[in-house]
Amino acid sequence: MNIKSVKSQFPIFKKKINGNSLVYLDSANSSQKPKAVINRLSHFYENEFSNVGRSVHSLAVTATNRFEESRDIIKNFLNAKHREEIIFTKGATESINLVASSYGDKFMKEGDEIILTELEHHSNYVPWHYLRDKKKAVIKFARLNENLEIKTDEIKKLITNKTKMIALTHISNVTGGISPLEEIIDLANSKKIPVLIDGTQGAPHLKLDMQKIGCDFYVISCHKMYGPNGLGILYGKKKWLDLLPPYQGGGGMIDEVKKETITFAETPTKFEAGTMQTAEVVAMGEAVKFIESIGFKTILDHENQVLNYALEKLKKNNSIKLIGNPEKKASVLSFTIKGIHPHDIATILDEDGVAIRAGHHCCQILHEKIGVSATARASLGIYNDKDDIDVLDSSIKKCRKVFNI
Amino acid sequence: MNIKSVKSQFPIFKKKINGNSLVYLDSANSSQKPKAVINRLSHFYENEFSNVGRSVHSLAVTATNRFEESRDIIKNFLNAKHREEIIFTKGATESINLVASSYGDKFMKEGDEIILTELEHHSNYVPWHYLRDKKKAVIKFARLNENLEIKTDEIKKLITNKTKMIALTHISNVTGGISPLEEIIDLANSKKIPVLIDGTQGAPHLKLDMQKIGCDFYVISCHKMYGPNGLGILYGKKKWLDLLPPYQGGGGMIDEVKKETITFAETPTKFEAGTMQTAEVVAMGEAVKFIESIGFKTILDHENQVLNYALEKLKKNNSIKLIGNPEKKASVLSFTIKGIHPHDIATILDEDGVAIRAGHHCCQILHEKIGVSATARASLGIYNDKDDIDVLDSSIKKCRKVFNI
Amino acid sequence: MQKGFQYLMDLKELYQEIILDHGKNPRNKKICEDFNKEAKGHNPLCGDKVHIYLRVNKDKKVEDISFEGEGCAISIASASIMTEVLKGKEFNLSKKILDDFLKMLKDGTKFQVNSLKENEKISMMSLSGVKKFPMRVKCATLAWHTFIHAVEEKKINANTEKV
Amino acid sequence: MQKGFQYLMDLKELYQEIILDHGKNPRNKKICEDFNKEAKGHNPLCGDKVHIYLRVNKDKKVEDISFEGEGCAISIASASIMTEVLKGKEFNLSKKILDDFLKMLKDGTKFQVNSLKENEKISMMSLSGVKKFPMRVKCATLAWHTFIHAVEEKKINANTEKV
Ligand SMILES: Cc1ncc(COP(=O)(O)O)c(C=O)c1O
Ligand SMILES: Cc1ncc(COP(=O)(O)O)c(C=O)c1O
């Protein structure tokens, strides 16, 4: 992969940060956007804009076609079996809320159990917490091992005949650890327990195949995979989506509305209430094309090289403590420096144009477990290279100077 | 107002539809976007993009500032009392779902009553229908008069001491009728019943002042007011927003998360779960600036002129029946032609580049009342002029030729 | 204006005499006697509705077929034409005809079913104009999908959103 | 590089010796004896937490003040400095000092309270470097807002998201 040419497709890198080139290491938070995606948005608004599916004039026909083409592009990208398995949402967070609400309403009762892990993002806990409140359900957290990895056995231990859902992350947004999905889903399937995968960090970094993964639900945020803001994807097995009640109510998702009764459309329509994010959906098709134009294998190889280079380099730096040591790992690197709070690290790094994130990364349960309230996190995207890591490394060294330690 | 110069700010009008200039009369469905808004989106993605509020690096600081500036712009635009009264959602539909869910959960019980009108869009009925189902509540529909107007007396009749919500549209998306908000809200206030106004059609066409209107909730879809797709606004009085439980759960809206308990942030944060539509929020600030650069008075005067011209012209056409005859009316004109189905009308008009909508416009209750399943709808935006109406009129005449009637 | 002219031609093709005729004077628009199968269909986006009634005998032959409904010229004409074409045909044959019809709308392929009479072909082909009007394809197919629902006794209504 | 240099200066100003000192060796970081008011504060975005303890006498004077918490150098230094400055002061005066402090962070205005001692002013002013780092303002104000919550005995935790 020619990293220079990839990077040059992202306009933001022309920008200087405090006089320095931007070293963007915050892609786990949100990725930057390639020119093609930004242009697709503008082009759509300038030449093709209309609401979809609700008018029969030419613009609306074009817009509807573009919208539904994106659904097909994403269906193929994820290798879903049916196009009706692809639902557009506001983001991964909404996708999980949708499942927790619709699935929970229909299939859960008092005392039923949900298994999560200590690694989950708040987005994959708070919606289940609502369900716990509403249905008097029980949430069990699978414990992580000393490397902060999810282990199938820890999940297995928690399964009872009341287990009604297992929800876990594909890749941790703190440790970068990749979960053993195959094992866990095999286990769950054997007990007929549905599995939701929080793929927010998985989708940008791994080649996905829904039919092979075999999970019941998989959620994605487009803004983390070079796509536009404000758009998410919910993949769900058709058998579930056919059964689940709709989530939000409004225009577009109904079959027939009377004063006493309402009947609903079928999937995916029944889950897409109100005017959809037409422009964003169309632009997301372009983001997928961008990813495919480089190829997932190339992306993985490149990101792994940079990640390994970074691990090597940072491990040499004695003042740094890495968070978690998962065997299988992708694209995320969290750390602490003794005596310097992550927020202060982030501020000092920013001086050199290095953008990292500091905080609990919406994983307070994990941070409580490791006994720190915040960590610093560098995370990779397709546009990062070893030079970025060199700047990161020397910038980290500067922190100790500023703090006189 | 110099209509030519306004129109020239919308790139889409450079486009030809079937060889003709675009006569866009589908703004009630979604409005076209001015260059400034489209450019703001691109500029943000190219130069300022970052996730908001979650990192301390420079890009994130800029993005957060832009995001919160937009909240202030909108607060001022609506003359809300507090900036915490402005919540960003996916659209009007989500805004209503949020209120119905959070308010309903907390304040409604079996037998409680919700008053709607026969004029409501499905988005202002289906969410209340869910609540009816969930809480065994009752929905009462205020009847329209023969002009298809909402009359305060009809609402008054329905009020009992079980009435817990009155929800109605500001402007009808079928008749263009403007509701007597002042009367209705006075009445509701005197009985301490909260009022939700579906302002989806109101916000693009009327100068709004939340403190003067005095409603408890007001919902808006940005895509109908020259802003981007996928963004909505919920205005709520602070006293309510402080009381209501959060809606979706996820990152950003929490205070503290533990394995057994979760505490939530305060408004507006508690209602903004997950990564927000940063770019869209920023671009919406630009849409408001665009509107203000022309001025609401100018917009109203212009749109009313065009509307009256259209009414005059279409009333002369004997084959046309106008839907509803409200005394106070804005920007929307629905009609039928005897012997020709609205879908066929829309297809024939499209030949001349005239984009209208045909269908039930997500108002099946209204259509059932008037005994037709579909109508044709022409709706105005800031960019329409009398020439557009002339094309519409002659194109309508052509329908009868194609149908040999 | 080249394109505008082409479009006018397309429009004339869409609203052929035969369509306007079926649209204005639909055949078999009633509830047929002693029907033993039925299904409702609905196009939620435009509000087109159709209700198909069938009387089927033991040999799975459609003895009688009729419809009720409201909608645009295309959807009414399509329902009317369908009832004319399918009356007296066997289930299996009907399904093949339906396949032919859908394929014609999709990619203009010729009919595979040999037994269709010339006037049946002509009336079915009169609907081929919708090809150029993608949003109208659902109008043309609504009745046909609903027919299948009736035959297969599906519980849920036919919904063109889905197909 | 002009801008880079300026920024380096800003950074040095942000992390002045006095801040680093308070950050490393915070004063009054404990639970003070016989406290009769307390409040917790939290910055949800970064996880900074503070818990303020006060012993207030009948004349509404802060006899003792201390804090516990974790956070960045700025938030710890700010809490530490605050306890030094407010100890022994009356409520009303404390509130005025807090106003001064917030205004200084916001637009650099000079202190209005005349009775502040020179060293108190210097330590408060050592936090003025955050002006150039908008995201860090919340770190600097957390303890102060929490102090007000303690004084006013608010039920909800101080939350910098709000202020
Ligand atoms: C009156 C009215 N209310 C609500 C809505 C729903 O808005 P949205 O689809 O943008 O959520 C619309 C538009 O479709 C409308 O016209
Ligand atoms: C692992 C994980 N899950 C869920 C989310 C929530 O995604 P979003 O905020 O885009 O809805 C994120 C990102 O913040 C994440 O990293």
Side-chain angles (χ1 to χ4, degrees):
Chain A
M1 183 176 114
N2 181 342
I3 177 73
K4 289 268 176 305
S5 104
V6 168
K7 202 160 184 165
S8 72
Q9 294 179 50
F10 290 80
I12 195 126
F13 291 110
K14 294 204 195 85
K15 207 179 146 68
K16 295 276 169 220
I17 303 290
N18 306 314
N20 298 302
S21 296
L22 169 62
V23 175
Y24 190 75
L25 292 169
D26 199 18
S27 296
N29 191 359
S30 197
S31 68
Q32 295 297 340
K33 319 301 172 203
K35 191 80 186 151
V37 170
I38 303 170
N39 286 353
R40 190 68 191 89
L41 269 180
S42 312
H43 183 84
F44 183 77
Y45 279 127
E46 293 184 357
N47 297 283
E48 305 174 291
F49 181 75
S50 167
N51 207 339
V52 305
R54 302 200 180 173
S55 301
V56 295
H57 56 76
S58 299
L59 281 178
V61 174
T62 313
T64 307
N65 289 344
R66 296 290 163 278
F67 185 90
E68 293 299 337
E69 276 161 29
S70 260
R71 202 190 298 276
D72 287 324
I73 290 172
I74 288 159
K75 174 213 169 238
N76 293 334
F77 181 67
L78 300 179
N79 195 28
K81 198 162 176 188
H82 308 283
R83 68 191 310 281
E84 299 86 20
E85 296 182 325
I86 307 301
I87 292 162
F88 292 114
T89 66
K90 188 161 79 168
T93 299
E94 174 162 283
S95 298
I96 300 174
N97 277 274
L98 190 163
V99 175
S101 168
S102 291
Y103 172 85
D105 273 353
K106 180 133 183 170
F107 292 104
M108 304 247 324
K109 55 178 197 306
E110 190 172 336
D112 280 349
E113 298 169 359
I114 301 152
I115 298 178
L116 307 177
T117 82
E118 293 176 336
L119 211 47
E120 299 315 310
H121 188 280
H122 294 162
S123 287
N124 197 24
Y125 169 31
V126 186
W128 304 111
H129 166 77
Y130 288 170
L131 194 56
R132 169 167 69 186
D133 258 22
K134 196 159 126 191
K135 293 273 182 161
K136 301 210 172 82
V138 175
I139 294 179
K140 293 174 164 180
F141 288 91
R143 291 174 64 95
L144 306 177
N145 68 8
E146 66 282 3
N147 295 326
L148 303 182
E149 290 170 309
I150 297 175
K151 286 290 171 191
T152 311
D153 276 349
E154 291 295 325
I155 291 180
K156 195 170 187 173
K157 269 191 216 165
L158 302 180
I159 292 179
T160 72
N161 57 13
K162 292 190 164 178
T163 308
K164 287 287 160 59
M165 174 62 80
I166 300 174
L168 76 153
T169 194
H170 196 167
I171 296 184
S172 161
N173 65 321
V174 178
T175 66
I178 303 175
S179 305
L181 292 197
E182 210 172 309
E183 275 175 31
I184 294 170
I185 293 168
D186 272 358
L187 170 67
N189 280 349
S190 75
K191 314 236 174 196
K192 299 217 180 338
I193 303 165
V195 180
L196 177 142
I197 302 299
D198 174 357
T200 318
Q201 299 295 341
H205 300 291
L206 299 174
K207 173 89 194 88
L208 297 178
D209 182 331
M210 288 304 128
Q211 297 187 61
K212 213 165 125 193
I213 293 181
C215 57
D216 299 272
F217 302 100
Y218 194 97
V219 310
I220 292 174
S221 267
C222 296
H223 70 94
K224 303 211 198 220
M225 46 192 303
Y226 315 110
N229 264 177
L231 184 69
I233 294 165
L234 167 62
Y235 159 84
K237 271 195 190 149
K238 190 162 178 305
K239 70 164 189 198
W240 285 113
L241 300 181
D242 284 344
L243 285 173
L244 295 189
Y247 177 54
Q248 295 184 335
M253 47 72 79
I254 56 94
D255 178 32
E256 195 170 57
V257 172
K258 293 180 175 292
K259 280 185 181 173
E260 302 303 326
T261 56
I262 298 180
T263 51
F264 300 104
E266 295 180 31
T267 182
T269 316
K270 80 171 159 191
F271 297 109
E272 294 180 346
T275 299
M276 296 299 288
Q277 310 95 309
T278 322
E280 284 73 20
V281 168
V282 172
M284 188 57 204
E286 204 61 34
V288 169
K289 285 184 200 160
F290 166 78
I291 291 174
E292 287 177 337
S293 76
I294 301 175
F296 246 116
K297 174 141 175 34
T298 314
I299 296 176
L300 283 191
D301 284 351
H302 171 75
E303 287 184 358
N304 278 337
Q305 268 175 36
V306 180
L307 179 70
N308 288 332
Y309 182 76
L311 280 170
E312 236 173 72
K313 203 129 199 185
L314 295 193
K315 276 179 182 165
K316 280 195 198 125
N317 188 331
N318 290 328
S319 58
I320 280 187
K321 188 171 174 290
L322 285 172
I323 307 300
N325 185 28
E327 200 186 326
K328 294 180 97 182
K329 181 177 168 99
S331 67
V332 188
L333 241 161
S334 297
F335 60 92
T336 51
I337 303 179
K338 199 168 153 44
I340 311 183
H341 190 276
H343 254 196
D344 298 313
I345 301 174
T347 298
I348 297 168
L349 263 55
D350 189 48
E351 186 210 331
D352 295 330
V354 180
I356 63 157
R357 190 176 171 193
H360 55 54
H361 319 300
C362 299
C363 290
Q364 284 192 341
I365 301 230
L366 178 68
H367 280 79
E368 198 179 332
K369 184 183 180 79
I370 59 179
V372 297
S373 64
T375 51
R377 179 183 75 185
S379 56
L380 303 176
I382 197 168
Y383 28 62
N384 293 118
D385 55 16
K386 293 183 183 171
D387 292 349
D388 291 344
I389 302 304
D390 290 339
V391 181
L392 170 70
D393 188 53
S394 72
S395 205
I396 286 176
K397 285 175 181 145
K398 194 161 139 196
C399 293
R400 304 189 64 201
K401 280 193 212 123
V402 173
F403 268 66
N404 301 330
I405 46 178
Chain B
M1 182 176 115
N2 180 343
I3 176 72
K4 289 270 176 304
S5 103
V6 168
K7 202 160 183 164
S8 72
Q9 294 179 50
F10 290 79
I12 196 125
F13 292 109
K14 293 204 195 86
K15 207 179 145 70
K16 295 275 171 226
I17 303 291
N18 306 314
N20 297 302
S21 296
L22 169 63
V23 175
Y24 190 75
L25 293 168
D26 199 19
S27 295
N29 191 359
S30 196
S31 68
Q32 294 298 339
K33 320 301 171 202
K35 190 82 186 149
V37 170
I38 304 171
N39 285 354
R40 190 68 191 89
L41 268 180
S42 311
H43 182 85
F44 183 77
Y45 279 128
E46 292 184 359
N47 296 284
E48 305 175 293
F49 181 75
S50 167
N51 208 338
V52 306
R54 304 201 179 172
S55 300
V56 294
H57 56 76
S58 300
L59 282 178
V61 174
T62 314
T64 306
N65 290 343
R66 298 290 164 277
F67 185 89
E68 293 299 338
E69 276 161 28
S70 260
R71 202 191 299 277
D72 287 324
I73 291 172
I74 288 159
K75 173 211 172 242
N76 293 333
F77 182 68
L78 299 179
N79 194 29
K81 199 161 176 190
H82 309 282
R83 67 192 310 282
E84 299 85 19
E85 296 182 325
I86 307 301
I87 292 163
F88 292 113
T89 66
K90 188 162 79 170
T93 298
E94 174 163 283
S95 298
I96 300 173
N97 276 274
L98 190 164
V99 176
S101 167
S102 291
Y103 172 86
D105 272 354
K106 180 134 183 170
F107 292 104
M108 304 247 324
K109 55 178 195 306
E110 190 170 338
D112 281 348
E113 297 169 358
I114 302 152
I115 298 179
L116 309 177
T117 83
E118 292 176 335
L119 211 47
E120 300 314 311
H121 188 278
H122 293 161
S123 287
N124 197 22
Y125 169 32
V126 186
W128 306 111
H129 166 77
Y130 288 170
L131 195 54
R132 169 167 69 186
D133 257 22
K134 194 159 126 191
K135 294 273 183 161
K136 300 208 173 85
V138 175
I139 294 178
K140 293 173 165 181
F141 289 90
R143 290 174 65 94
L144 307 177
N145 69 9
E146 65 283 5
N147 295 326
L148 303 182
E149 291 169 310
I150 296 175
K151 287 290 170 191
T152 311
D153 277 348
E154 291 294 325
I155 290 180
K156 196 171 186 172
K157 270 192 217 165
L158 301 181
I159 292 179
T160 73
N161 57 12
K162 292 190 164 179
T163 308
K164 288 286 162 58
M165 175 60 80
I166 300 174
L168 75 155
T169 195
H170 196 168
I171 296 185
S172 160
N173 65 320
V174 177
T175 67
I178 303 175
S179 305
L181 292 198
E182 212 172 306
E183 276 174 31
I184 294 170
I185 293 168
D186 273 357
L187 171 68
N189 280 350
S190 74
K191 315 236 172 196
K192 299 216 180 337
I193 302 165
V195 181
L196 177 142
I197 302 299
D198 175 358
T200 320
Q201 299 295 341
H205 301 290
L206 299 173
K207 173 89 195 90
L208 297 179
D209 182 332
M210 288 304 127
Q211 297 186 62
K212 215 165 124 194
I213 292 181
C215 58
D216 299 272
F217 302 100
Y218 194 96
V219 310
I220 293 174
S221 267
C222 297
H223 70 95
K224 305 212 198 221
M225 45 192 302
Y226 315 110
N229 264 176
L231 184 70
I233 294 165
L234 167 63
Y235 159 85
K237 271 195 189 148
K238 190 163 176 306
K239 69 164 189 201
W240 285 115
L241 298 181
D242 284 343
L243 285 173
L244 296 189
Y247 177 56
Q248 294 184 336
M253 48 72 80
I254 56 93
D255 179 32
E256 195 169 58
V257 172
K258 293 182 174 290
K259 280 186 181 173
E260 301 304 326
T261 57
I262 298 180
T263 52
F264 300 104
E266 294 180 34
T267 181
T269 317
K270 81 172 157 191
F271 298 109
E272 295 181 344
T275 300
M276 296 298 288
Q277 311 93 311
T278 322
E280 284 73 21
V281 168
V282 172
M284 187 58 204
E286 204 61 35
V288 169
K289 285 183 200 159
F290 166 78
I291 290 173
E292 287 177 337
S293 76
I294 301 175
F296 247 115
K297 174 139 176 37
T298 315
I299 296 175
L300 284 190
D301 284 352
H302 171 75
E303 287 184 358
N304 277 337
Q305 269 176 36
V306 180
L307 180 70
N308 289 331
Y309 182 77
L311 281 170
E312 237 173 71
K313 203 131 199 181
L314 295 193
K315 276 179 181 164
K316 281 195 198 125
N317 188 332
N318 291 328
S319 58
I320 280 186
K321 187 169 176 291
L322 286 170
I323 306 301
N325 185 26
E327 201 187 324
K328 296 181 95 182
K329 180 176 166 100
S331 67
V332 188
L333 242 160
S334 297
F335 60 92
T336 51
I337 304 178
K338 198 168 152 48
I340 311 184
H341 190 276
H343 254 197
D344 298 314
I345 301 174
T347 297
I348 296 169
L349 263 57
D350 189 49
E351 186 209 331
D352 295 330
V354 180
I356 63 157
R357 190 178 170 190
H360 55 55
H361 318 301
C362 299
C363 292
Q364 284 193 341
I365 300 229
L366 178 66
H367 279 79
E368 196 177 333
K369 182 184 182 76
I370 60 178
V372 297
S373 64
T375 52
R377 179 183 75 185
S379 56
L380 303 175
I382 197 169
Y383 28 62
N384 293 117
D385 56 16
K386 293 182 184 171
D387 293 349
D388 291 344
I389 303 303
D390 291 339
V391 181
L392 171 70
D393 188 53
S394 73
S395 204
I396 286 176
K397 285 175 181 145
K398 193 160 141 196
C399 292
R400 304 190 64 203
K401 280 192 211 123
V402 172
F403 268 66
N404 302 329
I405 44 179
Chain C
M1 283 293 110
Q2 198 56 25
K3 212 182 155 219
F5 178 72
Q6 178 56 45
Y7 196 78
L8 188 59
M9 295 303 295
D10 293 345
L11 208 54
K12 289 282 179 211
E13 210 182 306
L14 180 64
Y15 295 109
Q16 290 175 36
E17 268 311 317
I18 189 166
I19 302 274
L20 294 181
D21 176 42
H22 276 274
K24 250 178 284 182
N25 312 301
R27 327 295 197 259
N28 305 308
K29 189 155 185 278
K30 59 179 180 200
I31 304 180
C32 67
E33 267 169 47
D34 301 326
F35 69 88
N36 50 18
K37 285 182 190 287
E38 62 175 325
K40 282 185 187 177
H42 183 207
N43 182 345
L45 292 184
C46 58
D48 286 353
K49 279 181 196 174
V50 70
H51 194 152
I52 302 285
Y53 304 90
L54 303 176
R55 189 172 69 251
V56 179
N57 70 11
K58 277 172 293 179
D59 304 331
K60 302 207 166 182
K61 205 174 87 171
V62 177
E63 282 186 355
D64 203 359
I65 173 168
S66 71
F67 79 103
E68 288 199 312
E70 39 188 342
C72 62
I74 311 292
S75 75
I76 298 296
S78 179
S80 169
I81 288 168
M82 181 187 79
T83 58
E84 284 202 331
V85 172
L86 299 187
K87 192 180 292 187
K89 303 260 188 328
E90 251 218 300
F91 271 12
N92 280 341
L93 183 58
S94 302
K95 280 195 201 164
K96 281 189 194 133
I97 295 173
L98 181 134
D99 276 350
D100 270 359
F101 179 70
L102 294 181
K103 273 195 201 122
M104 175 193 76
L105 295 191
K106 212 174 152 202
D107 40 30
T109 4
K110 287 263 175 312
F111 297 141
Q112 305 285 316
V113 176
N114 294 323
S115 60
L116 278 172
K117 287 189 221 106
E118 206 49 39
N119 64 331
E120 291 174 336
K121 282 190 197 167
I122 288 173
S123 56
M124 280 167 68
M125 275 163 58
S126 74
L127 284 156
S128 68
V130 299
K131 263 206 311 285
K132 301 243 175 72
F133 298 84
M135 288 309 269
R136 310 306 303 276
V137 170
K138 287 175 178 176
C139 308
T141 58
L142 177 61
W144 299 72
H145 286 297
T146 310
F147 169 78
I148 285 292
H149 273 238
V151 165
E152 297 180 351
E153 299 192 323
K154 286 200 188 164
K155 295 262 159 38
I156 47 169
N157 294 349
N159 183 323
T160 52
E161 260 319 89
K162 258 241 34 219
V163 290
Chain D
M1 283 293 109
Q2 198 57 25
K3 211 180 157 224
F5 179 71
Q6 179 56 46
Y7 196 80
L8 187 60
M9 295 301 296
D10 294 344
L11 207 54
K12 288 281 178 208
E13 210 182 305
L14 179 66
Y15 294 109
Q16 290 175 35
E17 266 311 315
I18 190 166
I19 302 274
L20 293 181
D21 176 42
H22 276 274
K24 249 178 286 182
N25 311 301
R27 327 296 196 256
N28 305 308
K29 189 157 185 277
K30 60 179 180 202
I31 304 180
C32 67
E33 266 169 49
D34 302 325
F35 68 89
N36 50 19
K37 285 182 191 286
E38 61 174 325
K40 283 184 189 180
H42 183 207
N43 182 345
L45 291 185
C46 59
D48 286 355
K49 279 182 196 172
V50 70
H51 194 150
I52 303 285
Y53 303 90
L54 304 175
R55 189 172 70 248
V56 179
N57 70 13
K58 277 170 295 184
D59 305 331
K60 300 207 167 185
K61 204 176 90 172
V62 177
E63 283 186 355
D64 203 359
I65 173 169
S66 70
F67 80 102
E68 288 199 311
E70 39 186 342
C72 62
I74 311 292
S75 75
I76 297 296
S78 180
S80 169
I81 288 167
M82 180 187 80
T83 58
E84 284 201 331
V85 172
L86 299 186
K87 192 179 290 186
K89 304 259 188 326
E90 250 217 299
F91 270 13
N92 279 341
L93 182 60
S94 301
K95 279 194 201 163
K96 282 188 193 134
I97 294 173
L98 181 133
D99 276 351
D100 270 358
F101 179 71
L102 294 182
K103 274 194 201 123
M104 174 193 78
L105 295 191
K106 210 173 155 207
D107 40 34
T109 3
K110 287 265 174 313
F111 297 140
Q112 304 286 317
V113 176
N114 294 322
S115 59
L116 277 173
K117 288 189 219 105
E118 205 49 38
N119 65 329
E120 291 174 337
K121 283 192 198 164
I122 288 173
S123 57
M124 279 166 69
M125 277 161 59
S126 74
L127 284 156
S128 67
V130 299
K131 263 207 309 288
K132 301 240 175 75
F133 297 84
M135 286 309 269
R136 310 307 303 275
V137 170
K138 287 175 177 176
C139 307
T141 59
L142 177 62
W144 299 73
H145 286 297
T146 309
F147 170 77
I148 286 291
H149 273 237
V151 165
E152 298 180 349
E153 299 191 325
K154 286 200 188 161
K155 294 262 159 41
I156 48 169
N157 294 348
N159 183 323
T160 51
E161 259 319 87
K162 258 242 32 218
V163 290

